Amino acid sequence: MMSQPSKANAEGPESHDSISGRHERARDFEEAKKALLARPRFSVRAQIYLGFALVFLFTIITVAGLLNSIYEVDHKVRFLETVNQYLIQIEQARRFEKNYFLYGTNLREGLDNVYAANQILEINRNQILSITGRNVYDQMLSNLKEYEALLKRIIDLEQQWGNALANTEIDHSIDVREQGQSMISFAQEMAAKERTALEKSINRARQMHIYYLLALMAIMVVNSFILARRILVRIKQYKTFAQRIASGDYTLITPMRAYRDEFTELALAVNQMVLDVEAREAVLIQSHKMRAVGTLTAGVAHELNNPINNIMITGHMFLEDYDSLDEADRKDMMQDVVNETNRAKAIIANLLDFARESGSQLAPLDVAALLTDTIALASNRLKRSRINIEFSKTEKLPRVHGDSQQLRQVFLNLILNAIDASKPGGKISVTVLPADEPHYVAIKVIDYGTGIPKHILGSIFDPFFTTKPQGKGTGLGLSMSQGIVAKHGGLIRVFSQEGQGSTFTITLPVTTFPAEIKAETHLANS
Amino acid sequence: MSHLEVLLLDDEPIVGKRLKPALAKVGCEVEVFQDPVLALKRIDEKDFDVVVTDISMAEVDGMQVLEHVVAKNNRTKVIMITGFAMMSLAREAMEKGAFDFIAKPFKPDDLRLIIARAAEALGKPIDFEINDNG
């Protein structure tokens, strides 16, 4: 890109037109580049990373929750085990207590169970505290102490009174039983409550797994949908860009979204490519034009021979007969010389004007006048092939906004093709008239020659497609013409019947509403 | 000395306008035509000694004029004017019986010389010195 202006400068002042044209395009390119890069960046890569980060974060939170609930379940199971052990000890103590009252067996062993229960409470103090809270724990402890105290009193009384049953003992036995019963039911109640809580925890963990999976799926579906859509939309867009460029529309890609990403780099590369293709096409058009000039040169040389011959004959006769000529004759002869010189000049100017290399210069053009010039340029080819050309035009046609040289090249191409397709002594019709669509003019080049076979009709606009013998045609004429016409916002259509001839119709937008047409082509591009 | 009867056909008006007096000066009686159709009609009416015709013309080309003249009277000498020296075209003309050809641009004396040779071949020499070296 950077080498473009310096290269253009090196070409010197002769090609000033092409320099300004290329400069303009280079400026367009820089502007498009600036606009493309000015937006904040949000890359596809960033979106992928963001998606994964989101999933990862969500997973961490869920795993933490799951770990917590496993810990909770584990804690509750241990607690239930502790309560169970405690209950076993109390129940054992109560069995001893019952046996003592029924059979008078030893109560001391029951006291051992109470100590064991106490120990269980002491060892698992923290665990129990964390689940039940201090009040419950204290009550359990104090119940146990009370029970212990009651048992101890019975044992003391028994030692004092021997084996005999005392009234007080009966009272005590009632207290002991009630105390034992309430301790058991208290612990069982607590265990039952914790068991329900445990079930709830397990349930919650199970639901968490399911919800986690569902949520994860939702996140992934949404994320991949957004990501895929973003990429696919862009790919589709670039497909249309490629088609547009292939059809010869070299509008640069301009920003269409609020942010830039990897596709922005692609857009820059495509713009660069468009610029390069355009430059190369200009070279190709020029070289193709020079070939056309080559085929015309023989005809033009012949055409030039006529005025030169007239000047030569007149000059010689003027010298030869100078003395015998009267003044009117001399003036007439010199007038002929002047006229013929002008005629030669016009022939050369027309060819040189056509051959001259220049950048794209857009101006409002009179298509009818362009066609007249073009027909003059081809007049000798027409004469040599003894082909009659009929030119008809609608008066006061609106002008066409375009490049006169390029359009002349297109017209010449079609006329030369028509000559090649016609038999000697044939006829070609050239017409310019308003097109069927409003704000367009149509140029028709009709020959009554061989026509184009149906099977190749689809490929005649393809580059390098030619039916002419090797060395005669480049196969670029029609493809280039199509490119030039497309750049002017127009179309080339062909209608052909084998053996009947062909009609090539070019439609070009008129200048009446340049802004509107420009807006339309922009719409078509976006 | 009888006049040499010449028909000059060229679609460029100046050619006829200037060459008619130039050839008259050397003893030719010249009829000038721009339209080959009219010229052919005239050829049918009258036997010319020499027919000078341009090859490249719109409706009827010089070859057709040559063929027409040869078919009618092969005594008539036909001189072809070619726009630019196209040897194949010239050879074709010679094969078809043309006397000679001359390429544009030419001097009046160039044509006079060829006509003088034709006149000599016809046995009706004109008032122009043939210098074979020139």
Side-chain angles (χ1 to χ4, degrees), chain A residues 269-298:
Chain A
V270 168
N271 278 354
Q272 179 69 60
M273 182 192 78
V274 163
L275 220 61
D276 290 351
V277 165
E278 211 172 23
R280 220 157 288 176
E281 195 187 52
V283 172
L284 208 59
I285 287 178
Q286 181 62 18
S287 72
H288 189 263
K289 193 161 74 178
M290 290 323 284
R291 274 187 85 99
V293 168
T295 66
L296 288 174
T297 305

mmCIF file of all heavy atoms in Angstrom, chain A residues 269-298:
data_model
loop_
_atom_site.group_PDB
_atom_site.id
_atom_site.type_symbol
_atom_site.label_atom_id
_atom_site.label_comp_id
_atom_site.label_asym_id
_atom_site.label_seq_id
_atom_site.Cartn_x
_atom_site.Cartn_y
_atom_site.Cartn_z
ATOM 1 N N ALA A 269 -7.486 -6.742 4.439
ATOM 2 C CA ALA A 269 -6.787 -7.515 3.412
ATOM 3 C C ALA A 269 -7.595 -7.511 2.111
ATOM 4 O O ALA A 269 -7.025 -7.387 1.025
ATOM 5 C CB ALA A 269 -6.561 -8.942 3.887
ATOM 6 N N VAL A 270 -8.921 -7.634 2.243
ATOM 7 C CA VAL A 270 -9.770 -7.643 1.039
ATOM 8 C C VAL A 270 -9.695 -6.277 0.353
ATOM 9 O O VAL A 270 -9.564 -6.191 -0.865
ATOM 10 C CB VAL A 270 -11.231 -8.000 1.397
ATOM 11 C CG1 VAL A 270 -12.157 -7.719 0.213
ATOM 12 C CG2 VAL A 270 -11.329 -9.461 1.781
ATOM 13 N N ASN A 271 -9.735 -5.215 1.141
ATOM 14 C CA ASN A 271 -9.622 -3.867 0.563
ATOM 15 C C ASN A 271 -8.307 -3.707 -0.183
ATOM 16 O O ASN A 271 -8.256 -3.160 -1.280
ATOM 17 C CB ASN A 271 -9.726 -2.809 1.659
ATOM 18 C CG ASN A 271 -11.168 -2.527 2.023
ATOM 19 O OD1 ASN A 271 -12.076 -3.048 1.383
ATOM 20 N ND2 ASN A 271 -11.375 -1.716 3.027
ATOM 21 N N GLN A 272 -7.248 -4.210 0.451
ATOM 22 C CA GLN A 272 -5.930 -4.141 -0.167
ATOM 23 C C GLN A 272 -5.952 -4.914 -1.482
ATOM 24 O O GLN A 272 -5.443 -4.448 -2.507
ATOM 25 C CB GLN A 272 -4.887 -4.741 0.786
ATOM 26 C CG GLN A 272 -3.490 -4.752 0.231
ATOM 27 C CD GLN A 272 -2.924 -3.349 0.105
ATOM 28 O OE1 GLN A 272 -2.805 -2.623 1.085
ATOM 29 N NE2 GLN A 272 -2.613 -2.939 -1.110
ATOM 30 N N MET A 273 -6.602 -6.090 -1.436
ATOM 31 C CA MET A 273 -6.682 -6.926 -2.628
ATOM 32 C C MET A 273 -7.452 -6.202 -3.737
ATOM 33 O O MET A 273 -7.034 -6.200 -4.894
ATOM 34 C CB MET A 273 -7.370 -8.238 -2.280
ATOM 35 C CG MET A 273 -7.461 -9.197 -3.443
ATOM 36 S SD MET A 273 -8.574 -10.568 -3.091
ATOM 37 C CE MET A 273 -10.159 -9.794 -3.319
ATOM 38 N N VAL A 274 -8.578 -5.579 -3.331
ATOM 39 C CA VAL A 274 -9.398 -4.851 -4.306
ATOM 40 C C VAL A 274 -8.548 -3.778 -4.993
ATOM 41 O O VAL A 274 -8.581 -3.622 -6.212
ATOM 42 C CB VAL A 274 -10.618 -4.217 -3.609
ATOM 43 C CG1 VAL A 274 -11.234 -3.143 -4.497
ATOM 44 C CG2 VAL A 274 -11.651 -5.277 -3.297
ATOM 45 N N LEU A 275 -7.754 -3.087 -4.179
ATOM 46 C CA LEU A 275 -6.900 -2.022 -4.712
ATOM 47 C C LEU A 275 -5.894 -2.593 -5.710
ATOM 48 O O LEU A 275 -5.676 -2.042 -6.789
ATOM 49 C CB LEU A 275 -6.176 -1.357 -3.543
ATOM 50 C CG LEU A 275 -6.028 0.151 -3.592
ATOM 51 C CD1 LEU A 275 -7.374 0.826 -3.609
ATOM 52 C CD2 LEU A 275 -5.198 0.631 -2.419
ATOM 53 N N ASP A 276 -5.295 -3.724 -5.315
ATOM 54 C CA ASP A 276 -4.294 -4.354 -6.187
ATOM 55 C C ASP A 276 -4.936 -4.877 -7.462
ATOM 56 O O ASP A 276 -4.396 -4.705 -8.557
ATOM 57 C CB ASP A 276 -3.600 -5.511 -5.451
ATOM 58 C CG ASP A 276 -2.704 -4.994 -4.339
ATOM 59 O OD1 ASP A 276 -2.512 -3.770 -4.285
ATOM 60 O OD2 ASP A 276 -2.221 -5.800 -3.533
ATOM 61 N N VAL A 277 -6.096 -5.531 -7.300
ATOM 62 C CA VAL A 277 -6.803 -6.076 -8.464
ATOM 63 C C VAL A 277 -7.156 -4.938 -9.416
ATOM 64 O O VAL A 277 -6.997 -5.050 -10.631
ATOM 65 C CB VAL A 277 -8.085 -6.824 -8.028
ATOM 66 C CG1 VAL A 277 -9.002 -7.066 -9.219
ATOM 67 C CG2 VAL A 277 -7.722 -8.151 -7.390
ATOM 68 N N GLU A 278 -7.587 -3.839 -8.811
ATOM 69 C CA GLU A 278 -7.979 -2.679 -9.609
ATOM 70 C C GLU A 278 -6.792 -2.150 -10.413
ATOM 71 O O GLU A 278 -6.914 -1.885 -11.608
ATOM 72 C CB GLU A 278 -8.465 -1.595 -8.664
ATOM 73 C CG GLU A 278 -9.508 -0.716 -9.234
ATOM 74 C CD GLU A 278 -10.051 0.197 -8.168
ATOM 75 O OE1 GLU A 278 -9.345 0.445 -7.161
ATOM 76 O OE2 GLU A 278 -11.158 0.674 -8.333
ATOM 77 N N ALA A 279 -5.646 -2.055 -9.731
ATOM 78 C CA ALA A 279 -4.450 -1.557 -10.407
ATOM 79 C C ALA A 279 -4.067 -2.506 -11.531
ATOM 80 O O ALA A 279 -3.720 -2.081 -12.642
ATOM 81 C CB ALA A 279 -3.302 -1.422 -9.410
ATOM 82 N N ARG A 280 -4.146 -3.816 -11.221
ATOM 83 C CA ARG A 280 -3.779 -4.789 -12.234
ATOM 84 C C ARG A 280 -4.764 -4.760 -13.400
ATOM 85 O O ARG A 280 -4.395 -4.918 -14.548
ATOM 86 C CB ARG A 280 -3.748 -6.183 -11.601
ATOM 87 C CG ARG A 280 -2.600 -6.994 -12.116
ATOM 88 C CD ARG A 280 -2.218 -8.096 -11.167
ATOM 89 N NE ARG A 280 -1.564 -7.593 -9.979
ATOM 90 C CZ ARG A 280 -1.201 -8.365 -8.970
ATOM 91 N NH1 ARG A 280 -1.473 -9.644 -8.998
ATOM 92 N NH2 ARG A 280 -0.595 -7.861 -7.922
ATOM 93 N N GLU A 281 -6.026 -4.570 -13.047
ATOM 94 C CA GLU A 281 -7.035 -4.535 -14.106
ATOM 95 C C GLU A 281 -6.805 -3.337 -15.024
ATOM 96 O O GLU A 281 -6.988 -3.435 -16.234
ATOM 97 C CB GLU A 281 -8.432 -4.467 -13.505
ATOM 98 C CG GLU A 281 -9.485 -4.806 -14.538
ATOM 99 C CD GLU A 281 -10.877 -4.579 -14.035
ATOM 100 O OE1 GLU A 281 -11.150 -3.472 -13.531
ATOM 101 O OE2 GLU A 281 -11.695 -5.491 -14.145
ATOM 102 N N ALA A 282 -6.387 -2.235 -14.405
ATOM 103 C CA ALA A 282 -6.117 -1.042 -15.217
ATOM 104 C C ALA A 282 -5.040 -1.352 -16.242
ATOM 105 O O ALA A 282 -5.134 -0.968 -17.412
ATOM 106 C CB ALA A 282 -5.695 0.114 -14.314
ATOM 107 N N VAL A 283 -4.006 -2.093 -15.790
ATOM 108 C CA VAL A 283 -2.923 -2.478 -16.705
ATOM 109 C C VAL A 283 -3.475 -3.366 -17.813
ATOM 110 O O VAL A 283 -3.173 -3.192 -18.993
ATOM 111 C CB VAL A 283 -1.811 -3.212 -15.923
ATOM 112 C CG1 VAL A 283 -0.787 -3.783 -16.889
ATOM 113 C CG2 VAL A 283 -1.158 -2.264 -14.938
ATOM 114 N N LEU A 284 -4.328 -4.312 -17.384
ATOM 115 C CA LEU A 284 -4.900 -5.258 -18.338
ATOM 116 C C LEU A 284 -5.785 -4.544 -19.353
ATOM 117 O O LEU A 284 -5.711 -4.815 -20.560
ATOM 118 C CB LEU A 284 -5.727 -6.277 -17.558
ATOM 119 C CG LEU A 284 -5.864 -7.661 -18.166
ATOM 120 C CD1 LEU A 284 -4.497 -8.290 -18.356
ATOM 121 C CD2 LEU A 284 -6.720 -8.535 -17.268
ATOM 122 N N ILE A 285 -6.595 -3.617 -18.845
ATOM 123 C CA ILE A 285 -7.474 -2.857 -19.739
ATOM 124 C C ILE A 285 -6.637 -2.104 -20.750
ATOM 125 O O ILE A 285 -6.916 -2.099 -21.941
ATOM 126 C CB ILE A 285 -8.368 -1.882 -18.932
ATOM 127 C CG1 ILE A 285 -9.449 -2.658 -18.195
ATOM 128 C CG2 ILE A 285 -8.999 -0.835 -19.845
ATOM 129 C CD1 ILE A 285 -10.351 -1.798 -17.344
ATOM 130 N N GLN A 286 -5.558 -1.504 -20.247
ATOM 131 C CA GLN A 286 -4.703 -0.724 -21.128
ATOM 132 C C GLN A 286 -4.075 -1.618 -22.193
ATOM 133 O O GLN A 286 -4.048 -1.272 -23.368
ATOM 134 C CB GLN A 286 -3.632 0.010 -20.308
ATOM 135 C CG GLN A 286 -2.708 0.880 -21.138
ATOM 136 C CD GLN A 286 -3.446 1.993 -21.861
ATOM 137 O OE1 GLN A 286 -4.572 2.330 -21.509
ATOM 138 N NE2 GLN A 286 -2.833 2.546 -22.897
ATOM 139 N N SER A 287 -3.592 -2.803 -21.766
ATOM 140 C CA SER A 287 -2.914 -3.659 -22.740
ATOM 141 C C SER A 287 -3.932 -4.187 -23.747
ATOM 142 O O SER A 287 -3.631 -4.336 -24.926
ATOM 143 C CB SER A 287 -2.178 -4.799 -22.047
ATOM 144 O OG SER A 287 -3.088 -5.732 -21.550
ATOM 145 N N HIS A 288 -5.143 -4.460 -23.253
ATOM 146 C CA HIS A 288 -6.179 -4.908 -24.166
ATOM 147 C C HIS A 288 -6.536 -3.801 -25.140
ATOM 148 O O HIS A 288 -6.769 -4.037 -26.321
ATOM 149 C CB HIS A 288 -7.403 -5.341 -23.387
ATOM 150 C CG HIS A 288 -8.430 -6.002 -24.237
ATOM 151 N ND1 HIS A 288 -9.507 -5.317 -24.748
ATOM 152 C CD2 HIS A 288 -8.520 -7.253 -24.708
ATOM 153 C CE1 HIS A 288 -10.220 -6.135 -25.490
ATOM 154 N NE2 HIS A 288 -9.653 -7.326 -25.477
ATOM 155 N N LYS A 289 -6.551 -2.590 -24.620
ATOM 156 C CA LYS A 289 -6.866 -1.446 -25.458
ATOM 157 C C LYS A 289 -5.798 -1.296 -26.551
ATOM 158 O O LYS A 289 -6.106 -1.035 -27.711
ATOM 159 C CB LYS A 289 -6.916 -0.195 -24.584
ATOM 160 C CG LYS A 289 -7.533 0.984 -25.271
ATOM 161 C CD LYS A 289 -7.989 2.013 -24.269
ATOM 162 C CE LYS A 289 -6.821 2.753 -23.689
ATOM 163 N NZ LYS A 289 -7.222 3.785 -22.738
ATOM 164 N N MET A 290 -4.535 -1.528 -26.138
ATOM 165 C CA MET A 290 -3.468 -1.378 -27.124
ATOM 166 C C MET A 290 -3.599 -2.439 -28.215
ATOM 167 O O MET A 290 -3.247 -2.203 -29.364
ATOM 168 C CB MET A 290 -2.088 -1.467 -26.454
ATOM 169 C CG MET A 290 -1.766 -0.265 -25.570
ATOM 170 S SD MET A 290 -2.360 1.323 -26.206
ATOM 171 C CE MET A 290 -1.162 1.621 -27.505
ATOM 172 N N ARG A 291 -4.115 -3.608 -27.836
ATOM 173 C CA ARG A 291 -4.361 -4.633 -28.867
ATOM 174 C C ARG A 291 -5.420 -4.132 -29.836
ATOM 175 O O ARG A 291 -5.277 -4.294 -31.053
ATOM 176 C CB ARG A 291 -4.843 -5.924 -28.220
ATOM 177 C CG ARG A 291 -3.724 -6.813 -27.764
ATOM 178 C CD ARG A 291 -4.309 -8.133 -27.294
ATOM 179 N NE ARG A 291 -4.510 -9.047 -28.409
ATOM 180 C CZ ARG A 291 -3.673 -10.008 -28.703
ATOM 181 N NH1 ARG A 291 -2.566 -10.157 -27.997
ATOM 182 N NH2 ARG A 291 -3.911 -10.817 -29.712
ATOM 183 N N ALA A 292 -6.473 -3.535 -29.273
ATOM 184 C CA ALA A 292 -7.526 -2.984 -30.132
ATOM 185 C C ALA A 292 -6.931 -1.910 -31.029
ATOM 186 O O ALA A 292 -7.220 -1.847 -32.224
ATOM 187 C CB ALA A 292 -8.657 -2.416 -29.284
ATOM 188 N N VAL A 293 -6.056 -1.090 -30.428
ATOM 189 C CA VAL A 293 -5.390 -0.046 -31.221
ATOM 190 C C VAL A 293 -4.609 -0.694 -32.348
ATOM 191 O O VAL A 293 -4.623 -0.232 -33.491
ATOM 192 C CB VAL A 293 -4.470 0.807 -30.323
ATOM 193 C CG1 VAL A 293 -3.562 1.692 -31.170
ATOM 194 C CG2 VAL A 293 -5.294 1.651 -29.377
ATOM 195 N N GLY A 294 -3.922 -1.821 -32.007
ATOM 196 C CA GLY A 294 -3.153 -2.546 -33.016
ATOM 197 C C GLY A 294 -4.017 -2.979 -34.180
ATOM 198 O O GLY A 294 -3.656 -2.781 -35.344
ATOM 199 N N THR A 295 -5.189 -3.557 -33.875
ATOM 200 C CA THR A 295 -6.046 -4.016 -34.967
ATOM 201 C C THR A 295 -6.602 -2.833 -35.749
ATOM 202 O O THR A 295 -6.908 -2.963 -36.925
ATOM 203 C CB THR A 295 -7.218 -4.876 -34.467
ATOM 204 O OG1 THR A 295 -8.076 -4.040 -33.696
ATOM 205 C CG2 THR A 295 -6.758 -6.042 -33.637
ATOM 206 N N LEU A 296 -6.693 -1.701 -35.056
ATOM 207 C CA LEU A 296 -7.232 -0.523 -35.738
ATOM 208 C C LEU A 296 -6.181 0.199 -36.561
ATOM 209 O O LEU A 296 -6.494 0.892 -37.520
ATOM 210 C CB LEU A 296 -7.803 0.465 -34.720
ATOM 211 C CG LEU A 296 -9.103 0.051 -34.037
ATOM 212 C CD1 LEU A 296 -9.443 1.072 -32.970
ATOM 213 C CD2 LEU A 296 -10.217 -0.041 -35.054
ATOM 214 N N THR A 297 -4.905 0.021 -36.139
ATOM 215 C CA THR A 297 -3.859 0.850 -36.724
ATOM 216 C C THR A 297 -3.783 0.687 -38.246
ATOM 217 O O THR A 297 -3.681 1.677 -38.976
ATOM 218 C CB THR A 297 -2.496 0.514 -36.101
ATOM 219 O OG1 THR A 297 -2.645 0.657 -34.706
ATOM 220 C CG2 THR A 297 -1.428 1.471 -36.573
ATOM 221 N N ALA A 298 -3.874 -0.567 -38.709
ATOM 222 C CA ALA A 298 -3.810 -0.802 -40.148
ATOM 223 C C ALA A 298 -4.910 -0.003 -40.847
ATOM 224 O O ALA A 298 -4.656 0.690 -41.838
ATOM 225 C CB ALA A 298 -3.966 -2.285 -40.433
#
